[in-house]
């Protein structure tokens, strides 16, 4: 399952709920257009939105040095995403 590193301690934001492997690629968009079932509970458009938002936040934080509260913990805007700590081996 794809994840986005959120800080230098190894914490990760991991889209989990309702997602499948193709949810993190352009394939999901094509699958939706072709009417093929890929097993995901969330739409490919939603998965793409989540992925783009978290990747953009990651780059803004680490390359532009802009604070990104989205990466600090769970977000009510994206309840599908779990924040997992490599250090404590827990997700929330």
């Amino acid at each position: 399952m794809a994840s986005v590193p959120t800080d230098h301690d190894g914490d990760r934001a991991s889209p989990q709920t309702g997602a499948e492997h193709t949810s993190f690629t352009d394939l999901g968009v094509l699958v939706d257009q072709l009417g093929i079932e890929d097993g995901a509970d969330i739409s490919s458009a939603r998965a793409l939105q989540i992925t783009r938002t978290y990747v953009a936040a990651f780059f803004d934080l680490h390359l532009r040095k802009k604070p990104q509260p989205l990466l600090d913990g769970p977000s009510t805007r994206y309840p599908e995403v779990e924040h997992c700590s490599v250090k404590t081996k827990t997700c929330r």
Side-chain angles (χ1 to χ4, degrees), residues 21-42:
H21 182 72
T22 58
S23 300
F24 307 99
T25 68
D26 291 339
L27 183 59
V29 176
L30 294 173
V31 165
D32 278 357
Q33 290 177 0
L34 295 173
I36 300 170
E37 180 60 44
D38 68 352
D41 292 332
I42 61 174

Side-chain angles (χ1 to χ4, degrees), residues 12-17 50 54 74-75 78-83 92:
R12 302 268 189 261
S14 299
Q16 299 276 330
T17 307
I50 291 169
Y54 274 86
S75 167
Y78 303 104
E80 303 91 341
V81 177
E82 288 185 339
H83 283 256
R92 54 186 176 108

